[in-house]
């Protein structure tokens, strides 16, 4: 059991600083091999590897990608900055900062924006900011039932123009209708950097929608379909992950925390040291089908008493409409159920923040307060005696669109020369924001 546990947390071990535990585990494994007369060098090496020197060669291109990401993240979150200020904030040398900024100016990711106010006699530094005038990103949000939302965005995640299309039947939403909606926005876009699609469900690293119960899609190569149709770069991401990125860049999100989305279903996204955790099978955050009551209502997944059957927006609204006088009690029970499911993860990862996104008639102070109380009651200990904050997202209804637009920009920045998505390093983590 000990061996299994450490193998499970290995993909995030470097981020949550667990190397000491791996050393203990390696020692235990070695002692076991001596005691039982077995030697498993492969098993031993898997425990020792986190403490050893990294042997993978870093190419110059890796450094350039990292520098671009750092500069974009720093400028996105700040007022216009001079090259010298960028160098001080990011730790880059003046030469490296100037080289990165010049390259990003040439590619229209940044633009010059006046001069800094001098604090002493001398030449004024030229300020640079995110170029929100040249590139456009076409983004689609598929997270709402019977409704597709699409928008043309600039590089700051701001909407230039938008369109919505409603459907009488959810099965009428097909990959072809999604592509057609994106095409209807092309006249309102200038220079298209790429496309982004946020989908409820499981999405793999190739942009294949493995499964989305909402539309009945399975193994749909959506990114490939977009790129073949438009001849442009495209990202396809889980909608909760997109929303988390939106809250991190444009809202109150911090480097580490859990994001929960309550809509048609219930999903979550996890950020550790500004890295998005995807999971071995790209299904991290699928908390909606955790069973909270084995005798509860039948779920669409086939089980009984899943979290989703109790706290999804549709189920809660239906129950409240049937018994409006019990609204407060129902929201409190729903909040406690969510807190009960989240508490082990909060405790395991030593988190401070939980952000919840959903309609305000469901995700209100009653619901959030009950969730916070439940998490603190179940996760608190003498070793973890800090209070966990549960709060509503601050980005508003466009959080998914804004987050997915930033995901497109970041993916392009990983290879700004060829506009191809660079495969993530490692199995579990994709760095999204090196502030």
């Amino acid at each position: 059991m000990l061996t299994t546990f450490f193998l499970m947390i290995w993909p995030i071990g470097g981020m949550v600083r667990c190397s000491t535990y791996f050393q203990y585990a390696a020692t235990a494994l070695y002692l076991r091999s001596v005691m039982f007369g077995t030697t498993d060098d492969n098993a031993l090496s898997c425990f020792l590897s986190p403490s050893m020197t990294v042997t993978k060669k870093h190419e110059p291109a890796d450094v350039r990608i990292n520098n671009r990401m750092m500069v974009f993240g720093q400028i996105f979150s700040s007022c216009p900055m001079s090259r010298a200020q960028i160098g001080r904030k990011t730790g880059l040398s003046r030469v490296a900062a100037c080289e990165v900024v010049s390259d990003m100016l040439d590619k229209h990711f940044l633009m010059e924006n006046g001069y800094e106010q001098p604090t002493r006699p001398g030449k004024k530094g030229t300020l640079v900011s995110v170029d929100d005038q040249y590139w456009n990103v076409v983004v689609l949000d598929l997270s709402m039932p019977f409704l597709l939302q699409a928008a043309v965005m600039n590089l700051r995640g701001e909407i230039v123009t938008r369109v919505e299309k409603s459907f009488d039947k959810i099965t009428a939403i097909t990959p072809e209708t999604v592509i057609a909606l994106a095409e209807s926005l092309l006249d309102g876009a200038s220079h298209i950097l790429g496309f982004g699609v946020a989908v409820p469900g499981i999405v793999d690293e190739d942009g294949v929608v493995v499964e989305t119960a909402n539309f009945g899609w399975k193994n749909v190569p959506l990114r490939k379909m977009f790129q073949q149709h438009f001849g442009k770069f495209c990202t396809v991401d889980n909608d909760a992950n997109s929303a988390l990125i939106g809250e991190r860049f444009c809202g109150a999100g911090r480097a580490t925390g859990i994001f929960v989305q309550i809509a048609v279903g219930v999903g979550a996204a996890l950020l550790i040291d500004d890295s998005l955790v995807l999971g071995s099978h790209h299904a991290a955050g699928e908390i909606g089908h955790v069973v909270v009551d084995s005798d509860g209502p039948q779920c669409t997944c086939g089980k009984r008493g899943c979290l989703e059957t109790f706290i999804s927006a549709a189920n809660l609204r239906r129950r409240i409409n049937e018994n409006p006088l019990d609204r407060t009690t129902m929201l409190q029970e729903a909040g406690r159920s969510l807190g009960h499911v989240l508490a082990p993860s909060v405790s395991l990862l030593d988190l401070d923040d939980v952000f919840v996104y959903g309609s305000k008639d469901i995700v209100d102070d009653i619901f959030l307060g009950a969730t916070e109380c439940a998490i603190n009651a179940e996760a608190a200990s003498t070793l973890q005696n800090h209070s966990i904050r549960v709060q509503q997202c601050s980005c508003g209804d466009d959080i998914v669109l804004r987050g997915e637009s930033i995901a497109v920009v970041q993916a392009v920045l990983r290879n700004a020369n060829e506009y191809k998505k660079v495969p993530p390093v490692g199995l579990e983590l994709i760095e999204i924001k090196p502030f």
Side-chain angles (χ1 to χ4, degrees):
M1 182 62 70
L2 177 65
T3 300
T4 303
F5 176 73
F6 277 99
L7 285 172
M8 286 172 62
I9 69 168
W10 153 238
I12 62 174
M15 304 307 294
V16 293
R17 302 176 179 88
C18 292
S19 59
T20 302
Y21 297 109
F22 283 97
Q23 293 169 354
Y24 294 157
T27 304
L29 185 64
Y30 176 74
L31 290 174
R32 187 190 71 177
S33 69
V34 172
M35 292 170 63
F36 293 96
T38 60
T39 302
D40 188 345
D41 292 336
N42 291 333
L44 185 59
S45 66
C46 80
F47 284 113
L48 291 176
S49 58
S51 301
M52 294 179 177
T53 302
V54 176
T55 58
K56 181 181 177 181
K57 181 180 178 181
H58 289 279
E59 301 292 340
D62 298 331
V63 177
R64 288 194 293 270
I65 291 169
N66 185 61
N67 291 347
R68 280 199 297 264
M69 298 286 285
M70 281 200 300
V71 170
F72 182 82
Q74 186 62 56
I75 294 179
F76 190 97
S77 63
S78 308
C79 298
M81 306 172 68
S82 68
R83 290 165 175 79
Q85 290 173 324
I86 292 170
R88 288 194 293 270
K89 290 284 188 180
T90 60
L92 295 174
S93 68
R94 188 178 183 87
V95 173
C98 290
E99 180 181 318
V100 173
V101 169
S102 296
D103 180 59
M104 295 179 74
L105 286 170
D106 290 342
K107 292 182 170 65
H108 301 284
F109 290 110
L110 302 179
M111 64 180 180
E112 293 184 336
N113 195 2
Y115 298 93
E116 65 179 342
Q117 294 296 323
T119 56
R120 58 178 182 267
K123 184 179 178 181
K124 297 180 181 179
T126 303
L127 299 175
V128 295
S129 62
V130 174
D131 189 340
D132 57 5
Q133 299 176 12
Y134 187 85
W135 289 115
N136 284 152
V137 179
V138 178
V139 184
L140 296 100
D141 174 10
L142 279 60
S143 65
M144 302 295 290
F146 308 104
L147 180 69
L148 295 183
Q149 300 182 83
V152 176
M153 321 278 288
N154 62 26
L155 295 195
R156 292 200 62 86
E158 299 165 338
I159 294 177
V160 178
T161 182
R162 68 185 303 159
V163 64
E164 296 181 353
K165 184 174 179 60
S166 59
F167 295 83
D168 295 330
K169 296 181 179 179
I170 200 165
T171 53
I173 299 177
T174 65
E176 290 73 22
T177 58
V178 174
I179 290 173
L181 186 63
E183 193 160 19
S184 70
L185 284 167
L186 296 186
D187 291 339
S190 54
H191 304 89
I192 298 177
L193 183 68
F195 293 79
V197 188
V199 183
I202 299 173
V203 182
D204 72 13
E205 72 273 11
D206 295 319
V208 175
V209 182
V210 178
E211 184 173 4
T212 174
N214 290 18
F215 310 132
W217 297 0
K218 285 192 176 183
N219 298 317
V220 175
L222 195 59
R223 187 172 81 187
K224 182 178 180 181
M225 294 172 70
F226 262 79
Q227 291 183 161
Q228 287 180 341
H229 185 86
F230 294 106
K232 292 285 186 179
F233 178 87
C234 179
T235 63
V236 180
D237 296 293
N238 172 268
D239 60 331
N241 291 339
S242 302
L244 180 147
I245 296 173
E247 185 67 21
R248 178 65 176 112
F249 271 79
C250 307
R254 296 203 243 178
T256 298
I258 287 181
F259 173 94
V260 179
Q261 181 168 268
I262 298 176
V264 180
V266 178
L270 176 62
L271 196 66
I272 299 178
D273 285 351
D274 270 328
S275 289
L276 192 63
V277 179
L278 300 179
S280 300
H281 307 286
H282 306 280
E286 292 293 329
I287 63 171
H289 298 289
V290 174
V291 175
V292 295
D293 181 0
S294 58
D295 296 322
Q298 185 76 36
C299 182
T300 55
C301 72
K303 296 186 294 186
R304 302 191 71 88
C306 293
L307 179 66
E308 197 168 285
T309 64
F310 290 99
I311 75 167
S312 72
N315 287 327
L316 269 177
R317 284 198 188 98
R318 175 181 52 77
R319 292 166 55 203
I320 290 172
N321 289 336
E322 292 172 355
N323 300 282
L325 296 178
D326 294 334
R327 177 181 181 275
T328 298
T329 301
M330 291 179 184
L331 290 178
Q332 288 174 336
E333 290 176 349
R336 284 193 290 268
S337 295
L338 178 60
H340 174 71
V341 169
L342 293 179
S345 298
V346 169
S347 181
L348 175 67
L349 299 172
D350 190 23
L351 303 179
D352 288 323
D353 294 300
V354 175
F355 289 91
V356 184
Y357 171 67
S359 178
K360 292 182 179 179
D361 65 316
I362 299 297
V363 183
D364 61 3
D365 291 341
I366 298 171
F367 181 94
L368 295 171
T371 304
E372 183 172 288
C373 287
I375 292 175
N376 282 302
E378 296 186 30
S381 68
T382 55
L383 298 177
Q384 294 176 314
N385 56 6
H386 61 281
S387 295
I388 289 87
R389 297 176 295 272
V390 178
Q391 52 193 307
Q392 192 170 43
C393 293
S394 58
C395 281
D397 294 337
D398 295 324
I399 184 172
V400 175
L401 290 172
R402 299 183 75 178
E404 186 60 23
S405 71
I406 295 167
V408 173
V409 176
Q410 286 203 316
V412 171
L413 283 173
R414 291 191 185 99
N415 198 335
N417 293 323
E418 299 181 20
Y419 291 175
K420 293 180 181 178
K421 185 173 183 179
V422 177
V425 177
L427 293 176
E428 307 286 331
L429 301 170
I430 296 177
E431 188 173 342
I432 69 164
K433 187 173 184 239
F435 275 169

